Amino acid sequence: MHAKFLGAAGMFAIAAMLAGPAMADKTKIDFWFGNTGDIAKRVQEQCDRFNQSQSDYEVVCTSQGSYDASLQNTIAAFRAGKQPTIAQVSDAGTLDIMLSGAFYPANKLMKDMGYDVDWNDYFSGIKSYYATSKGDMYSFPFNSSTPLLYWNKDAFAKIGKDQAPATWEEAAEDFKALKAAGYTCPLGFNISRDEIWQYGEQFMAVHGEPIATKRNGYDGLDAELIFNKGKWVQYIKDLKGWYDNGEAVLKSKETGQTFVEAFAAGDCQVILTSVGDHGNVGRTAKPGLNWGVAMLPVYAGTERKHSFVGGASLWVLAGKSDAEYKGAAAFFNFIAKPEEALTWSTVTGYIPVRNSGYDYLVKQGFYDKAPYAGRELAIKSLTASPATADSLPGIRLGGLLQIRQEMANGLQAIFINNADVQTSLDEAAARGNQILRRFEQTYKGKQLP
C-alpha cells in the first residue's frame, strides 16, 4: 500500500495544485472513511446528527471498506481531481500524507473559518501524534484508541486471583495456572500486521523503549529501526514459550475465530486489544460473561510510560471550494462538542480526544458502571507519564504499514517455522530499514514539519 502511495506522492501534490474549486453543490461535502461493520454505522449516525443539527451543509459520509482502501481511493480521486473534502487516514499513514502537502492544515482551517479552538484541550499523547514539531495540528484526531488487557474474572477466580496481571512475570504464572485449571486458551493472540500495534509498538511504548532512532522518527527521516535490540526480544521469546506450552493460542479469521470473538465467547481468558473493542465485546459477550479490562502489563522493575494513540485522524484535502471548507470546519466544530464526545464514546468504545470531553463524561457518570466502566483506563494509559522533550510522542515513520508487515513476517517465521527469535527480528529490522531508506530517498531534502 505504502509503496504505491510513495510512487503517487508527486502526483498527489501536483493534483493539489491543479484541482480547482469543486463543481458540486457548495453546501455538500464528501467525507471518506475506512471503518466498516458496526463502527461504520456509528460514523454514519454521527454524520446524520450533524446534518440534522443545521441547514447550511450536508456531509456525505462513505465507507471505503478499510483504512488502506480509504487512502488509496483518496489518492486515485485526487489524481482525477475528484477528491473528497475530508479523508480519514490511519495513524500509520500520518507521515505519508503530512509530507505530501496536499491538505489544508486543521489549525489554519479553523482559524480561517472563524473558529477559536483550544488545541491544548487535546490530550497531550493524542496531540503529539498528529502535531508538527511546533505543536501545530495538521489533522483532527477522530477515532482514537489505545490497547488494554481484557480478562475473564470468573476464570481468574478459579486460580485464586481477583485482579489482572500487572507484570508479564505475573501474567506468565497466570497463563500457566489457567492452563492447569483446564482452560485451553489462557491467552488468545494474533501475529498479523494489524496486531503488531498492540503486541509490538505499544509494548515498546509502555516500556519507554523506541522502535526506531531519532525519537521514533520525529527528529528526522534518517531514523533506523531498533526494535530488535530491546525488551521486545525477551517478550517475543516469552510469548513463543507460552505458545509452545499451549498457554497462548493463535486466533484469527483463518482459524475460524478471531481472538476478540474468542474472548467474547469465553473461549480465551485473556486478550490484548484496543479500547475501541470494548463496546463490541460488551454487545457480543456470551450471557453471564464476567470480564474486565486493565492497562497493559510491563516487565517487573519497569517504570511505566504512556501508551500511544491509535485509530485515525481526519484530514481536509486541498483543491476544494471555500464553501466546502466552511462546511468541513462546521463539521469538526460539531464533533468536538462534549455532548458529541459522550455519544461517540457510548456507541463505539473509542475515547474522547479532549480533556473537556473526558471531564464531561466523568461528570455524567459515564465510567461509573457497566457497560462503560473500565474505559477510563485508556485515558490513564495514554497519560501514564508526562510529555517531555525527551519522551517518545509516538511513531513517525514512513511506510509504517509495510514495516508492520515485515515485523509480522518475522513473527510468522518464529511461531510457524520455529525460526530463531533474535535472527528473525534482526532480519525483520533490516527489511524495515530498507523501507525507511526508500522513503527517505523519495523525500530527499525535505524537512519534517
Side-chain angles (χ1 to χ4, degrees), residues 86-108:
I86 303 170
Q88 181 192 44
V89 177
S90 73
D91 57 322
T94 298
L95 181 58
D96 302 70
I97 190 168
M98 185 177 279
L99 289 179
S100 76
F103 60 90
Y104 196 151
N107 61 316
K108 187 175 187 303

PDB file of all heavy atoms in Angstrom, residues 86-108:
ATOM      1  N   ILE A  86     -12.969  15.691   3.066  1.00  0.00           N
ATOM      2  CA  ILE A  86     -12.387  15.126   4.279  1.00  0.00           C
ATOM      3  C   ILE A  86     -12.044  13.668   4.034  1.00  0.00           C
ATOM      4  O   ILE A  86     -12.842  12.922   3.465  1.00  0.00           O
ATOM      5  CB  ILE A  86     -13.372  15.220   5.460  1.00  0.00           C
ATOM      6  CG1 ILE A  86     -13.804  16.668   5.691  1.00  0.00           C
ATOM      7  CG2 ILE A  86     -12.758  14.642   6.731  1.00  0.00           C
ATOM      8  CD1 ILE A  86     -14.948  16.800   6.681  1.00  0.00           C
ATOM      9  N   ALA A  87     -10.864  13.259   4.465  1.00  0.00           N
ATOM     10  CA  ALA A  87     -10.453  11.861   4.339  1.00  0.00           C
ATOM     11  C   ALA A  87      -9.904  11.379   5.673  1.00  0.00           C
ATOM     12  O   ALA A  87      -9.130  12.083   6.336  1.00  0.00           O
ATOM     13  CB  ALA A  87      -9.401  11.691   3.258  1.00  0.00           C
ATOM     14  N   GLN A  88     -10.304  10.194   6.067  1.00  0.00           N
ATOM     15  CA  GLN A  88      -9.790   9.572   7.276  1.00  0.00           C
ATOM     16  C   GLN A  88      -8.499   8.829   6.930  1.00  0.00           C
ATOM     17  O   GLN A  88      -8.463   8.048   5.980  1.00  0.00           O
ATOM     18  CB  GLN A  88     -10.818   8.593   7.843  1.00  0.00           C
ATOM     19  CG  GLN A  88     -10.395   7.907   9.122  1.00  0.00           C
ATOM     20  CD  GLN A  88     -11.314   6.748   9.483  1.00  0.00           C
ATOM     21  OE1 GLN A  88     -11.683   5.960   8.622  1.00  0.00           O
ATOM     22  NE2 GLN A  88     -11.696   6.652  10.743  1.00  0.00           N
ATOM     23  N   VAL A  89      -7.437   9.098   7.688  1.00  0.00           N
ATOM     24  CA  VAL A  89      -6.145   8.437   7.468  1.00  0.00           C
ATOM     25  C   VAL A  89      -5.724   7.799   8.788  1.00  0.00           C
ATOM     26  O   VAL A  89      -5.737   8.447   9.837  1.00  0.00           O
ATOM     27  CB  VAL A  89      -5.070   9.438   6.995  1.00  0.00           C
ATOM     28  CG1 VAL A  89      -3.722   8.741   6.834  1.00  0.00           C
ATOM     29  CG2 VAL A  89      -5.492  10.080   5.676  1.00  0.00           C
ATOM     30  N   SER A  90      -5.338   6.542   8.750  1.00  0.00           N
ATOM     31  CA  SER A  90      -4.948   5.837   9.973  1.00  0.00           C
ATOM     32  C   SER A  90      -3.673   6.425  10.543  1.00  0.00           C
ATOM     33  O   SER A  90      -2.914   7.122   9.858  1.00  0.00           O
ATOM     34  CB  SER A  90      -4.751   4.344   9.685  1.00  0.00           C
ATOM     35  OG  SER A  90      -3.554   4.144   8.957  1.00  0.00           O
ATOM     36  N   ASP A  91      -3.418   6.116  11.808  1.00  0.00           N
ATOM     37  CA  ASP A  91      -2.228   6.617  12.472  1.00  0.00           C
ATOM     38  C   ASP A  91      -0.963   6.267  11.693  1.00  0.00           C
ATOM     39  O   ASP A  91      -0.024   7.058  11.628  1.00  0.00           O
ATOM     40  CB  ASP A  91      -2.148   6.066  13.902  1.00  0.00           C
ATOM     41  CG  ASP A  91      -2.169   4.540  13.946  1.00  0.00           C
ATOM     42  OD1 ASP A  91      -2.897   3.924  13.152  1.00  0.00           O
ATOM     43  OD2 ASP A  91      -1.459   3.956  14.789  1.00  0.00           O
ATOM     44  N   ALA A  92      -0.956   5.090  11.071  1.00  0.00           N
ATOM     45  CA  ALA A  92       0.237   4.632  10.353  1.00  0.00           C
ATOM     46  C   ALA A  92       0.522   5.448   9.104  1.00  0.00           C
ATOM     47  O   ALA A  92       1.656   5.469   8.615  1.00  0.00           O
ATOM     48  CB  ALA A  92       0.091   3.160   9.982  1.00  0.00           C
ATOM     49  N   GLY A  93      -0.473   6.130   8.551  1.00  0.00           N
ATOM     50  CA  GLY A  93      -0.279   6.898   7.327  1.00  0.00           C
ATOM     51  C   GLY A  93      -0.021   8.371   7.559  1.00  0.00           C
ATOM     52  O   GLY A  93       0.048   9.150   6.601  1.00  0.00           O
ATOM     53  N   THR A  94       0.140   8.771   8.831  1.00  0.00           N
ATOM     54  CA  THR A  94       0.258  10.190   9.176  1.00  0.00           C
ATOM     55  C   THR A  94       1.423  10.869   8.462  1.00  0.00           C
ATOM     56  O   THR A  94       1.252  11.933   7.851  1.00  0.00           O
ATOM     57  CB  THR A  94       0.405  10.363  10.697  1.00  0.00           C
ATOM     58  OG1 THR A  94      -0.767   9.862  11.333  1.00  0.00           O
ATOM     59  CG2 THR A  94       0.583  11.819  11.057  1.00  0.00           C
ATOM     60  N   LEU A  95       2.612  10.297   8.535  1.00  0.00           N
ATOM     61  CA  LEU A  95       3.768  10.957   7.931  1.00  0.00           C
ATOM     62  C   LEU A  95       3.631  11.029   6.416  1.00  0.00           C
ATOM     63  O   LEU A  95       4.018  12.027   5.802  1.00  0.00           O
ATOM     64  CB  LEU A  95       5.055  10.216   8.298  1.00  0.00           C
ATOM     65  CG  LEU A  95       6.345  10.833   7.745  1.00  0.00           C
ATOM     66  CD1 LEU A  95       6.500  12.275   8.207  1.00  0.00           C
ATOM     67  CD2 LEU A  95       7.561  10.014   8.159  1.00  0.00           C
ATOM     68  N   ASP A  96       3.069  10.005   5.808  1.00  0.00           N
ATOM     69  CA  ASP A  96       2.935   9.975   4.354  1.00  0.00           C
ATOM     70  C   ASP A  96       2.129  11.166   3.842  1.00  0.00           C
ATOM     71  O   ASP A  96       2.537  11.874   2.920  1.00  0.00           O
ATOM     72  CB  ASP A  96       2.272   8.666   3.921  1.00  0.00           C
ATOM     73  CG  ASP A  96       3.049   7.451   4.373  1.00  0.00           C
ATOM     74  OD1 ASP A  96       3.074   7.177   5.586  1.00  0.00           O
ATOM     75  OD2 ASP A  96       3.625   6.773   3.517  1.00  0.00           O
ATOM     76  N   ILE A  97       0.949  11.374   4.442  1.00  0.00           N
ATOM     77  CA  ILE A  97       0.113  12.480   3.966  1.00  0.00           C
ATOM     78  C   ILE A  97       0.665  13.815   4.440  1.00  0.00           C
ATOM     79  O   ILE A  97       0.555  14.830   3.753  1.00  0.00           O
ATOM     80  CB  ILE A  97      -1.357  12.291   4.404  1.00  0.00           C
ATOM     81  CG1 ILE A  97      -2.249  13.319   3.685  1.00  0.00           C
ATOM     82  CG2 ILE A  97      -1.522  12.379   5.894  1.00  0.00           C
ATOM     83  CD1 ILE A  97      -3.728  13.040   3.826  1.00  0.00           C
ATOM     84  N   MET A  98       1.328  13.844   5.594  1.00  0.00           N
ATOM     85  CA  MET A  98       1.909  15.080   6.107  1.00  0.00           C
ATOM     86  C   MET A  98       2.957  15.627   5.142  1.00  0.00           C
ATOM     87  O   MET A  98       3.035  16.834   4.897  1.00  0.00           O
ATOM     88  CB  MET A  98       2.530  14.816   7.481  1.00  0.00           C
ATOM     89  CG  MET A  98       3.063  16.048   8.177  1.00  0.00           C
ATOM     90  SD  MET A  98       3.693  15.666   9.843  1.00  0.00           S
ATOM     91  CE  MET A  98       2.171  15.625  10.778  1.00  0.00           C
ATOM     92  N   LEU A  99       3.753  14.738   4.573  1.00  0.00           N
ATOM     93  CA  LEU A  99       4.804  15.169   3.653  1.00  0.00           C
ATOM     94  C   LEU A  99       4.287  15.414   2.239  1.00  0.00           C
ATOM     95  O   LEU A  99       4.966  16.046   1.440  1.00  0.00           O
ATOM     96  CB  LEU A  99       5.924  14.124   3.612  1.00  0.00           C
ATOM     97  CG  LEU A  99       6.785  14.026   4.876  1.00  0.00           C
ATOM     98  CD1 LEU A  99       7.839  12.953   4.724  1.00  0.00           C
ATOM     99  CD2 LEU A  99       7.425  15.369   5.212  1.00  0.00           C
ATOM    100  N   SER A 100       3.085  14.934   1.927  1.00  0.00           N
ATOM    101  CA  SER A 100       2.534  15.148   0.583  1.00  0.00           C
ATOM    102  C   SER A 100       2.199  16.611   0.362  1.00  0.00           C
ATOM    103  O   SER A 100       2.242  17.110  -0.760  1.00  0.00           O
ATOM    104  CB  SER A 100       1.272  14.306   0.391  1.00  0.00           C
ATOM    105  OG  SER A 100       0.161  14.884   1.077  1.00  0.00           O
ATOM    106  N   GLY A 101       1.836  17.308   1.437  1.00  0.00           N
ATOM    107  CA  GLY A 101       1.486  18.716   1.315  1.00  0.00           C
ATOM    108  C   GLY A 101       0.131  18.979   0.699  1.00  0.00           C
ATOM    109  O   GLY A 101      -0.264  20.129   0.518  1.00  0.00           O
ATOM    110  N   ALA A 102      -0.606  17.933   0.388  1.00  0.00           N
ATOM    111  CA  ALA A 102      -1.877  18.077  -0.327  1.00  0.00           C
ATOM    112  C   ALA A 102      -3.061  18.184   0.624  1.00  0.00           C
ATOM    113  O   ALA A 102      -4.062  17.485   0.473  1.00  0.00           O
ATOM    114  CB  ALA A 102      -2.058  16.897  -1.281  1.00  0.00           C
ATOM    115  N   PHE A 103      -2.948  19.060   1.607  1.00  0.00           N
ATOM    116  CA  PHE A 103      -4.011  19.182   2.595  1.00  0.00           C
ATOM    117  C   PHE A 103      -4.080  20.609   3.120  1.00  0.00           C
ATOM    118  O   PHE A 103      -3.172  21.422   2.912  1.00  0.00           O
ATOM    119  CB  PHE A 103      -3.769  18.215   3.763  1.00  0.00           C
ATOM    120  CG  PHE A 103      -2.471  18.447   4.485  1.00  0.00           C
ATOM    121  CD1 PHE A 103      -2.410  19.313   5.573  1.00  0.00           C
ATOM    122  CD2 PHE A 103      -1.303  17.832   4.072  1.00  0.00           C
ATOM    123  CE1 PHE A 103      -1.216  19.557   6.231  1.00  0.00           C
ATOM    124  CE2 PHE A 103      -0.093  18.072   4.727  1.00  0.00           C
ATOM    125  CZ  PHE A 103      -0.054  18.935   5.804  1.00  0.00           C
ATOM    126  N   TYR A 104      -5.174  20.905   3.776  1.00  0.00           N
ATOM    127  CA  TYR A 104      -5.404  22.197   4.420  1.00  0.00           C
ATOM    128  C   TYR A 104      -5.202  21.955   5.910  1.00  0.00           C
ATOM    129  O   TYR A 104      -6.009  21.282   6.539  1.00  0.00           O
ATOM    130  CB  TYR A 104      -6.849  22.617   4.136  1.00  0.00           C
ATOM    131  CG  TYR A 104      -7.197  24.074   4.384  1.00  0.00           C
ATOM    132  CD1 TYR A 104      -8.205  24.677   3.650  1.00  0.00           C
ATOM    133  CD2 TYR A 104      -6.562  24.842   5.370  1.00  0.00           C
ATOM    134  CE1 TYR A 104      -8.573  26.005   3.863  1.00  0.00           C
ATOM    135  CE2 TYR A 104      -6.910  26.158   5.594  1.00  0.00           C
ATOM    136  CZ  TYR A 104      -7.924  26.740   4.834  1.00  0.00           C
ATOM    137  OH  TYR A 104      -8.283  28.048   5.056  1.00  0.00           O
ATOM    138  N   PRO A 105      -4.133  22.480   6.514  1.00  0.00           N
ATOM    139  CA  PRO A 105      -3.864  22.207   7.931  1.00  0.00           C
ATOM    140  C   PRO A 105      -5.066  22.521   8.813  1.00  0.00           C
ATOM    141  O   PRO A 105      -5.701  23.568   8.666  1.00  0.00           O
ATOM    142  CB  PRO A 105      -2.685  23.131   8.242  1.00  0.00           C
ATOM    143  CG  PRO A 105      -1.996  23.317   6.924  1.00  0.00           C
ATOM    144  CD  PRO A 105      -3.106  23.355   5.913  1.00  0.00           C
ATOM    145  N   ALA A 106      -5.349  21.626   9.722  1.00  0.00           N
ATOM    146  CA  ALA A 106      -6.539  21.763  10.557  1.00  0.00           C
ATOM    147  C   ALA A 106      -6.532  23.060  11.355  1.00  0.00           C
ATOM    148  O   ALA A 106      -7.553  23.755  11.444  1.00  0.00           O
ATOM    149  CB  ALA A 106      -6.634  20.568  11.509  1.00  0.00           C
ATOM    150  N   ASN A 107      -5.368  23.393  11.932  1.00  0.00           N
ATOM    151  CA  ASN A 107      -5.322  24.618  12.732  1.00  0.00           C
ATOM    152  C   ASN A 107      -5.566  25.865  11.893  1.00  0.00           C
ATOM    153  O   ASN A 107      -6.244  26.806  12.324  1.00  0.00           O
ATOM    154  CB  ASN A 107      -3.981  24.713  13.473  1.00  0.00           C
ATOM    155  CG  ASN A 107      -2.782  24.773  12.533  1.00  0.00           C
ATOM    156  OD1 ASN A 107      -2.716  24.023  11.567  1.00  0.00           O
ATOM    157  ND2 ASN A 107      -1.844  25.658  12.812  1.00  0.00           N
ATOM    158  N   LYS A 108      -5.059  25.866  10.665  1.00  0.00           N
ATOM    159  CA  LYS A 108      -5.263  27.003   9.767  1.00  0.00           C
ATOM    160  C   LYS A 108      -6.710  27.055   9.288  1.00  0.00           C
ATOM    161  O   LYS A 108      -7.307  28.138   9.198  1.00  0.00           O
ATOM    162  CB  LYS A 108      -4.307  26.916   8.585  1.00  0.00           C
ATOM    163  CG  LYS A 108      -4.321  28.142   7.686  1.00  0.00           C
ATOM    164  CD  LYS A 108      -3.266  28.038   6.591  1.00  0.00           C
ATOM    165  CE  LYS A 108      -3.157  29.336   5.793  1.00  0.00           C
ATOM    166  NZ  LYS A 108      -4.410  29.769   5.176  1.00  0.00           N
TER     167      LYS A 108
END
